[in-house]
Amino acid sequence: TADSWNYSIESWLYITGTDVAKRLGIEGYYLRTVPPELDGRSTPKQGHVTLRSDPPGREGVPVSEVVSVDALCLVRFGLRRADDPRILNTLKAIDATLRVETPRGPSWRRYVGDGYGEHADGSPYLKRNGTIGRAWPLLTGERGHYELMAGRRAEAERLARAMADQAGDGGMIPEQVWDADDIPEKGLFKGRPTDSAAPLIWAHAEYVKLLRSLRDGAVFDLPPQTACRYLERGVTTDRVIWRLDHPREVIAEGEVLRVVLDAPAKVRWTVDRWANTCEVDTRDSTVGTYYADLDTKNLPAGMVVRMKFHWADAHEFEGKTFKVDVV
């Protein structure tokens, strides 16, 4: 299951050919999130996602515009290499849309469209419309960890110093720093703390971890299991998981459709509108689910898999037929 999730990250979150990508001269980039109704597709190119800062009644913003620093965690968690071309593309998108240079070093905003911060005139965040998410020293530390994994130790050290310099006079690292022109009458200076939470203990923890990582010469909290499995051994899978609460609409040529259910069942499926059928009994995973692999690996694009379930305990069919396109 973990292998399948890792294998599916690009189909869920990597988008290509957008206006942002064309403007930056890159193939594509990882997105922050997609709404549940879109993540069963082969690529999240259409639709809108509602952000927490959106006013009531707003449709949301196009999914394709929500660039985020989150994607660098794919490297830090041992799922993608620091020099993976898709990560490098995303890095360009992140820096073009979210990076802020301050007199105390660079910092980053969380994601395009973030509204958790002060207004443009410096008035405080009171859950009102028009607020702007500001830069987070925490993200300076996270970028430092990425730079260390990319082999750029000097840059990681520079970012650690910048993170410390963005602390307040008492040495407390804030949630956010001001990232616009100074507004002295409101105590807001570029690269200095805003009225956000201080200290942000999460930021202090990130700073301590970055110092430890620099001392060790390796990221302190990189999970060794994922790094070994996916980066060193290159484990992958052709299984794509389908669930009742996450019914994928599409699989690609060469992929095996794995049906995962919460109760034992027989899966009856067809590719010729029931002229011919196959049946597969689910197997007990021993962790509360039951699964069956459908022999879809050799199906060409354009075929449509239709399936229904006969529940073993209830001795009846699920009252619906499900459809998955091969692309």
Side-chain angles (χ1 to χ4, degrees):
T1 298
D3 292 344
S4 181
W5 289 342
N6 185 54
Y7 169 79
S8 298
I9 287 173
E10 280 70 39
S11 71
W12 289 332
L13 293 174
Y14 192 75
I15 190 169
T16 60
T18 68
D19 290 341
V20 174
K22 293 174 183 176
R23 186 175 75 247
L24 298 177
I26 58 178
E27 174 206 38
Y29 45 87
Y30 290 100
L31 297 170
R32 174 175 180 258
T33 185
V34 295
E37 64 270 17
L38 295 183
D39 67 2
R41 301 184 180 186
S42 59
T43 182
K45 285 190 176 182
Q46 300 177 356
H48 290 70
V49 60
T50 301
L51 305 176
R52 292 184 63 183
S53 55
D54 286 343
R58 182 180 177 185
E59 181 185 17
V61 299
V63 168
S64 61
E65 295 181 5
V66 190
V67 178
S68 169
V69 297
D70 295 357
L72 296 187
C73 287
L74 296 175
V75 177
R76 183 158 173 177
F77 295 156
L79 303 175
R80 298 294 181 271
R81 297 187 181 279
D83 60 354
D84 185 305
R86 294 161 300 197
I87 291 292
L88 297 179
N89 286 337
T90 305
L91 206 65
K92 293 178 182 178
I94 288 171
D95 286 348
T97 57
L98 300 169
R99 183 177 178 128
V100 176
E101 297 293 338
T102 82
R104 292 174 176 263
S107 193
W108 284 261
R109 296 180 177 183
R110 295 190 300 178
Y111 56 88
V112 172
D114 185 12
Y116 179 53
E118 288 81 5
H119 290 259
D121 64 1
S123 56
Y125 172 79
L126 296 172
K127 295 187 178 181
R128 294 180 296 180
N129 296 339
T131 51
I132 303 168
R134 302 297 170 181
W136 292 57
L138 164 69
L139 302 181
T140 302
E142 289 193 358
R143 181 60 172 266
H145 274 105
Y146 169 79
E147 295 295 334
L148 183 62
M149 293 190 70
R152 295 185 285 268
R153 181 184 177 89
E155 179 64 6
E157 291 175 340
R158 185 177 79 93
L159 292 173
R161 291 192 296 271
M163 192 177 185
D165 288 343
Q166 290 164 5
D169 294 336
M172 295 187 295
I173 302 175
E175 186 177 45
Q176 300 177 32
V177 293
W178 186 244
D179 56 10
D181 293 337
D182 295 351
I183 307 179
E185 64 272 20
K186 294 185 178 178
L188 295 171
F189 300 89
K190 198 169 188 178
R192 300 287 288 164
T194 64
D195 288 332
S196 58
L200 181 65
I201 304 303
W202 183 11
H204 280 260
E206 182 69 13
Y207 178 63
V208 170
K209 285 193 288 186
L210 181 54
L211 295 183
R212 170 66 184 265
S213 298
L214 286 166
R215 192 198 73 173
D216 294 349
V219 172
F220 168 65
D221 56 356
L222 172 70
Q225 300 88 349
T226 50
C228 176
R229 187 170 185 84
Y230 300 122
L231 303 186
E232 296 175 21
R233 294 170 52 200
V235 173
T236 187
T237 182
D238 56 8
R239 266 64 175 168
V240 173
I241 291 177
W242 186 102
R243 292 178 55 98
L244 281 168
D245 56 359
H246 184 228
R248 286 192 65 122
E249 301 172 6
V250 167
I251 60 172
E253 288 181 300
E255 291 179 339
V256 174
L257 188 63
R258 169 164 287 189
V259 177
V260 179
L261 304 170
D262 293 333
K266 186 184 296 291
V267 182
R268 181 176 295 176
W269 64 285
T270 181
V271 293
D272 56 11
R273 293 182 176 271
W274 308 108
N276 298 280
T277 62
C278 300
E279 290 188 345
V280 184
D281 290 316
T282 58
R283 300 173 60 186
D284 188 349
S285 70
T286 75
V287 291
T289 58
Y290 300 80
Y291 68 95
D293 290 340
L294 309 192
D295 186 15
T296 58
K297 189 175 183 65
N298 296 317
L299 294 181
M303 300 293 281
V304 179
V305 176
R306 291 177 171 82
M307 58 185 178
K308 51 188 175 181
F309 314 129
H310 186 269
W311 301 107
D313 295 339
H315 302 291
E316 63 182 11
F317 276 100
E318 174 74 20
K320 182 178 180 181
T321 296
F322 301 93
K323 182 170 73 73
V324 181
D325 294 321
V326 182
V327 299

